Each structure stands twice: as structure tokens, then as C-alpha cells.
Amino acid sequence: MALRIEDYGLLGDLQTAALVGRDGSVDWLCLPRFDAPACFAALLGDERAGFWRVAPAAGGLCTRRRYRGDSLVLETEWDTPEGSVRVIDAMPPRGEAADVVRVVEGLSGRVPMRMALRLRFDYGHVVPWVRSRDGELVAVAGPDAAWLSTPVPLRGEDMTTYADFTVAAGQRVPFVLTYRRSHERTPKAVDAERAIADTEAFWTSWLRGFRYRGRWEDAVRRSLVVLKALTYKPTGGIVAAVTTSLPEQLGGPRNWDYRFCWLRDATFTLQALLGTGFVAEAKAWREWLLRAAAGDPADLQIMYGIDGTRRLPEYTVDWLAGYEGSAPVRVGNAASGQFQLDVWGEVLDGLHLTRLAGIESEEEAWDLQRALLDFLEGHWDDPDNGLWEVRGDRRHFVHSKVMAWAGMDRAVRAVERFGLEGPVDRWRATRDKIHAEVCDRGYDPGRNTFTQFYGSTGLDAALLLIPRAGFLPWDDPRVRGTVEAVQRELCSDGFLLRYRTGADGGVDGLPGAEGAFVTCTFWLADALYGIGRRREAYELFERLLELRNDLGLLSEEYDPVARRQLGNTPQAFSHVGLVNAARHLSGTDPAEHAGGGR
């Protein structure tokens, strides 16, 4: 049986990340970076696809686990009949090479332990050549090489490396797995104890910039650590999640690769970073955004690779059965070629947000924005695939039009407030035309709600963002009506769906359903607060916090019936939603940074 998604903890070195289960097994790790092929892929198949377990020989799930302070140093403990033992896991911030450090610490008694390592490169497809050299285990396959260093004797059996040993109280036994390209020189040896200390010190130092003060400080701190761990340090890009193909519906086909950077996340992420004091990270994300968006505005994509790569071809890894049999396993994302109108607005809104925050803006950045505005002026009335990347017919999605409005609105503000040059009268006229059309064609007066797209009978959780974008103020009756309609029609056991997949004849063109979308439910808490239903907003926010696993991690979705997490994990969008909702509900989120009002 596969572990539940919430049974996994996160390790990261700011270039890639590993998932460690309650059973002490690393079941997911891509090297050397987030979007590289996995060398441990048991998460999406079984142990034949690669894993690394360090646990008591008797096996079983841990008794307890925790992160050390605010760091990503993970401590997992087992109480056994023979005694108690702790496994300390860390990925130190990347130096010469990528390292995963694991130290077994005896707490009481004498506990028999077993280490099992099965390296399988290319998503479990490639078996490396393994040999012993200078006291280390060396595994090589094509471009990939890994070294395992430990004082414990190793043995090979059934294409797997094992170590059986006993740890007594006070003893510490280290294991260090290091990755580097096979054509590069052997990396220097890593001291496990020093690496753990350095990892803890890094995260402690980083969080000194934390500025949020409110009733949910611990939850916000942990979510920001997750966002930092999802950041690819060389470029500043932030991946949506560290996994691919964890299902939105168990056994269904809604399985996507999220190891890329979505432009739609820009404004939300910048709000979270700037609003909690992390200006350097916001600057790095802004610079990634400018590089990714550079070029022909007509070619703007909804997502890019962590280094700004445009081509993200999608294919299936057919030798993996998928998480709990949820096939196919996908690599790459065909949605990168979709036309999503809201992206132009998201980029312009995000760059406006950095301007408000006082982050310097080069002349070239404004030139890029003007080019984006030129495209938006000519295409805002085109149908698109929408925020949720539907693979059905293009529609006139209301959220897309609202964000087109936001893009034009931020251009007008740039001229009016910051003195930048541009055809402000024309932009203002376009902005007003979009606003009038959305209110006319995207609003159902009989139901007192905006709809998912023009003429739709369905609703969309993204409609909750209308006041956050500044399109209408919170006290507008249409906003209240929309919030109440979305809550009434899209809630499942109190948690919010993105939309009803069967509405309007199946808007997304895919079979099956999906779980409640975590960040959308944070939007609902935010919206309830905005329309004055504050006690209900607080209660919903607290209930959302209970969806986190014991380590404070959230995936993309939640199944309120099975009461378990679904979708790729840990999900940046979910943690950004937590941070921004906490700021709003705590009264620390100025309206101007949320887009203001109109």
C-alpha cells in the first residue's frame, strides 16, 4: 500500500527536493534539479522505481516526527520494543554537489536498523552500475552518478544495497548520498553532522527577515519556509510543486506535472513575500518574471521551466503505474501551449505590485509592460482556456476578463501615480469598456452572481477574486451575491471546488471529478472576511489549517469524503493562499497591495 500524500515530509536544498515518508523512506527525489528525472520514484509506482529507506529493521510507521525549529531538518522517531531511535534528515543548501544527509541517533536501548537503497534513474527506468570504491558506494548510469558514504558495512542483494546494524543510546550513524554528473570530478566528502548544523543555521538565519505578526504566526512561518524551499535559487523561479502526477482524483486521469513556474501565481506570491518581509525573494521572482515574459507578447505562456525554458512537451511514463494506480504519469505539461488571457493581467499586476513596494523598475521593464499592454488591447475580447487550464473549448471566462481589466487598470495607475509614459486615455477607455462588458455579459442579475463564463450556468471559485483585483469594492451587492452563490454552489463538506466539472455540459473536457481546491477555500475565507462575515471567515481558516499534515504541509486538493490530501505536493498555491488569507484576516494586508478598489 502506498503512503498517503500527507504521510510525506519535505527536504530541500533550493534546487530540488525530496519527499520522506513516515516509514523512513525517501520515495521521491529528482536530481540535480526540480524538473529532472527522478532517481527515487516509488511514490508513482512501487519500490522497483527507486527508494531509500532508513528505519528500524522491523519496519512500520514512525511514532512521531517534527521539523527542528523553523528549519527543514526533519526528525523522525520510532519507539520499538528494543528501544527508541531517531533518524535526522536534511538537504544542505547546494554547494559543490547535491547531498541528502541522514543520521541515525540511538535514544534508548539497542534498536536493530536496516538501510535499503535502490537507485533508479530516469523515473525508475535505468538501473545504474554499482561498485565499491575507496570505501564508498558508487552508482553510475549515463549522465548520472551518485555516491553513498557511511561507516556501516554495505551489501548488495536483488539489485538493492542494504546495511543492517544496531544503534545504542547515544550512538550516531551517518549516511550521505551525493549526486553529481558522471563526467564531473568526484565531489568532496561531506561531514554529516556539519551538514545538518549548516542546514538548520541557514533556515534560522533566513527567517530573521520574517515580518508578519498575527494569531497564525507559526502557520505563516512554515508556509514561507515551504515557498522558499520551492524556489530554484539560480534563477529565482518558484515551482508550483515538487511532484508530478499525484492525482486530483484517485484512479483518474487528472494527473499533471507541476514542477514548473506559473505566471498566474506571480501576484499572489509577490503579495505573500512582500507582505511578510522577504523583499530579496520578491525581487528574484520579479526578475525571473521579466526574463520569462521577455520576447513577443503574443508568445507569452502560462508557465515556463525553472530557468525560463519555453518548450515543456508532455509525454507519459508508461512503466510507472501511478500513485495508487492513478495513470497516466505525465512529464511536461501540454497546458503550456494554451491561451490564457488572465496571464497578461497577472504579469502586469505583479509588476505593479513591486512598483508599489518600491522595488526599482528599469526602463526596459516598462517597455516590456507596454508591449504586453499592446497585445492585451487587441486580444482582451478573445475567448481563452481560462485560469484552470481547461482542455475543452475556449470560452469568455469572467476571471480572464477581470484580469484583462486589471492589466489595463495597472497601466493607468502607472501613468497617474508614477509618471510613466503611455497612452493613458486609450488605456482608460479600454479598461472601462472591459468593465462594462463583464458587468453586462458575465453577471446573472436573476441569481445576483457573476458566472464562470459569459452565458454560463456554472460558477467558478476565481470569481471570489473580483474585489481582490479591485474590479468592484467589497461592499458592492454583486460581490456579496457572488460570494454567497459560490459558497452555496461550490462547497463540498465546507471546502470549495474550483468549479463543477459537469456544469455546462462538462466545461473542462475531461472525465471524472476532483477534490476540493485548497487555495480556493482560502479565497473563500478571505472573501467572507471582506464582506463582513468575519467569525465565519476565522472558523473556515482554522478548519483549513487542520488539513495540513503534522509537518504543516498542504497539497493541491483535499477529499472531504475520504478525508485525505490529493494532488501534487507541497503546493505553492495552497501555501501562498494560507499566507495571504492570514494577512488579510489579521488586518495586515493593505488594500492597495491587493489591487485597491474602484
Side-chain angles (χ1 to χ4, degrees):
M1 285 290 293
L3 295 179
R4 290 192 170 207
I5 292 170
E6 55 265 39
D7 286 332
Y8 286 97
L10 174 72
L11 309 177
D13 69 353
L14 307 186
Q15 296 193 38
T16 191
L19 295 183
V20 187
R22 289 179 181 270
D23 59 353
S25 182
V26 179
D27 288 343
W28 183 255
L29 175 61
C30 300
L31 290 169
R33 55 188 227 176
F34 292 109
D35 57 354
C39 64
F40 300 135
L43 179 69
L44 297 180
D46 55 33
E47 292 186 348
R48 292 173 295 180
F51 72 99
W52 184 19
R53 182 178 297 112
V54 180
L61 302 182
C62 66
T63 306
R64 57 193 163 269
R65 61 180 180 168
R66 61 185 173 272
Y67 284 119
R68 186 179 289 180
D70 289 318
S71 75
L72 279 186
V73 176
L74 179 62
E75 298 182 339
T76 306
E77 297 177 0
W78 288 263
D79 294 334
T80 75
E82 298 81 11
S84 298
V85 65
R86 174 186 297 145
V87 175
I88 306 167
D89 293 326
M91 290 185 70
R94 186 77 60 90
E96 181 185 25
D99 302 295
V100 183
V101 176
R102 317 194 72 180
V103 173
V104 181
E105 178 185 10
L107 301 177
S108 66
R110 293 176 57 83
V111 181
M113 299 291 294
R114 168 167 283 195
M115 185 224 68
L117 171 67
R118 184 188 290 244
L119 276 163
R120 292 293 183 269
F121 296 110
D122 193 20
Y123 304 103
H125 187 61
V126 176
V127 180
W129 174 39
V130 178
R131 65 195 188 281
S132 179
R133 186 175 68 191
D134 299 329
E136 289 186 318
L137 189 78
V138 182
V140 178
D144 303 302
W147 293 259
L148 177 65
S149 176
T150 179
V152 177
L154 303 172
R155 62 181 174 84
E157 180 182 322
D158 191 27
M159 308 294 282
T160 303
T161 300
Y162 293 97
D164 292 298
F165 59 100
T166 299
V167 62
Q171 286 186 314
R172 296 171 72 93
V173 181
F175 296 85
V176 178
L177 182 69
T178 300
Y179 172 91
R180 205 166 194 187
R181 294 295 190 184
S182 59
H183 65 276
E184 296 176 336
R185 70 177 186 275
T186 302
K188 296 177 183 177
V190 171
D191 180 270
E193 301 289 356
R194 177 65 181 271
I196 289 173
D198 288 348
T199 304
E200 184 176 10
F202 168 82
W203 289 105
T204 300
S205 175
W206 180 73
L207 273 167
R208 289 188 183 127
F210 182 66
R211 293 292 178 267
Y212 167 83
R213 294 295 178 268
R215 61 191 287 186
W216 301 291
E217 186 173 330
D218 289 344
V220 172
R221 288 168 73 92
R222 177 51 57 186
S223 286
L224 287 164
V225 167
V226 173
L227 287 178
K228 179 67 171 177
L230 297 179
T231 302
Y232 184 63
K233 184 179 179 180
T235 67
I238 301 174
V239 296
V242 306
T243 57
T244 178
S245 301
L246 289 181
E248 297 173 3
Q249 178 188 31
L250 292 176
R254 297 171 182 266
N255 316 316
W256 318 111
D257 194 344
Y258 273 21
R259 298 170 298 161
F260 307 114
C261 305
W262 266 255
L263 297 190
R264 75 178 185 208
D265 300 1
T267 302
F268 303 104
T269 304
L270 286 166
Q271 287 171 358
L273 293 172
L274 290 170
T276 51
F278 294 101
V279 177
E281 284 71 22
K283 285 182 177 179
W285 177 233
R286 172 187 176 276
E287 293 307 310
W288 179 91
L289 190 63
L290 287 171
R291 292 192 302 270
D296 185 349
D299 291 334
L300 192 67
Q301 297 184 181
I302 66 169
M303 73 183 82
Y304 294 84
I306 53 179
D307 56 1
T309 297
R310 287 174 171 265
R311 293 189 65 249
L312 306 174
E314 181 179 301
Y315 64 93
T316 60
V317 181
D318 295 328
W319 57 86
L320 291 178
Y323 178 81
E324 292 196 17
S326 302
V329 171
R330 290 184 169 94
V331 172
N333 200 312
S336 61
Q338 287 187 350
F339 173 57
Q340 293 182 24
L341 181 66
D342 67 290
V343 168
W344 279 261
E346 296 287 5
V347 172
L348 291 163
D349 191 23
L351 295 176
H352 176 72
L353 190 64
T354 60
R355 193 178 293 116
L356 287 173
I359 296 177
E360 63 278 3
S361 180
E362 302 85 356
E363 183 178 343
E364 293 82 359
W366 179 238
D367 290 341
L368 170 63
Q369 291 169 73
R370 288 197 58 171
L372 295 174
L373 286 160
D374 287 343
F375 179 85
L376 191 57
E377 277 189 283
H379 295 275
W380 68 265
D381 56 353
D382 293 346
D384 74 319
N385 295 102
L387 170 72
W388 304 124
E389 299 163 12
V390 300
R391 301 199 177 193
D393 295 335
R394 290 181 178 180
R395 316 268 188 165
H396 290 284
F397 287 99
V398 169
H399 174 263
S400 297
K401 305 301 185 188
V402 168
M403 291 314 301
W405 173 91
M408 304 309 299
D409 178 72
R410 303 326 182 240
V412 172
R413 293 193 195 196
V415 174
E416 293 178 341
R417 176 165 180 172
F418 296 98
L420 298 174
E421 294 186 1
V424 67
D425 291 338
R426 196 178 77 216
W427 290 341
R428 191 180 291 114
T430 302
R431 178 189 67 176
D432 294 345
K433 185 176 181 180
I434 298 171
H435 196 279
E437 181 181 290
V438 171
C439 292
D440 178 47
R441 300 182 61 191
Y443 175 71
D444 183 344
R447 297 160 63 200
N448 188 27
T449 181
F450 286 92
T451 58
Q452 184 174 27
F453 54 86
Y454 293 172
S456 170
T457 60
L459 299 179
D460 186 331
L463 298 172
L464 298 172
L465 301 175
I466 286 174
R468 298 297 280 163
F471 187 84
L472 288 173
W474 287 108
D475 60 0
D476 190 293
R478 292 167 293 182
V479 169
R480 175 177 289 274
T482 299
V483 172
E484 292 174 347
V486 167
Q487 183 183 31
R488 181 175 60 250
E489 297 188 24
L490 295 186
C491 267
S492 176
D493 193 27
F495 301 109
L496 208 62
L497 304 172
R498 294 187 294 179
Y499 52 88
R500 293 286 178 183
T501 57
D504 299 298
V507 64
D508 62 13
L510 292 168
E514 61 180 18
F517 212 72
V518 173
T519 202
C520 292
T521 313
F522 279 119
W523 294 348
L524 178 59
D526 182 270
L528 291 170
Y529 182 92
I531 63 173
R533 292 162 57 180
R534 296 191 171 186
R535 177 179 293 181
E536 193 176 349
Y538 294 142
E539 291 174 352
L540 179 57
F541 187 86
E542 293 284 356
R543 192 178 180 201
L544 279 164
L545 293 184
E546 294 175 0
L547 303 187
R548 299 175 302 156
N549 72 358
D550 56 317
L551 298 174
L553 303 182
L554 285 166
S555 66
E556 180 183 31
E557 298 187 5
Y558 180 74
D559 184 341
V561 177
R563 300 191 180 278
R564 59 181 299 185
Q565 294 186 13
L566 293 174
N568 286 304
T569 196
Q571 178 80 5
F573 219 25
S574 297
H575 286 279
V576 165
L578 186 157
V579 173
N580 288 334
R583 291 173 53 241
H584 191 202
L585 271 60
S586 299
T588 60
D589 179 17
E592 188 173 40
H593 283 75
R598 184 176 182 275

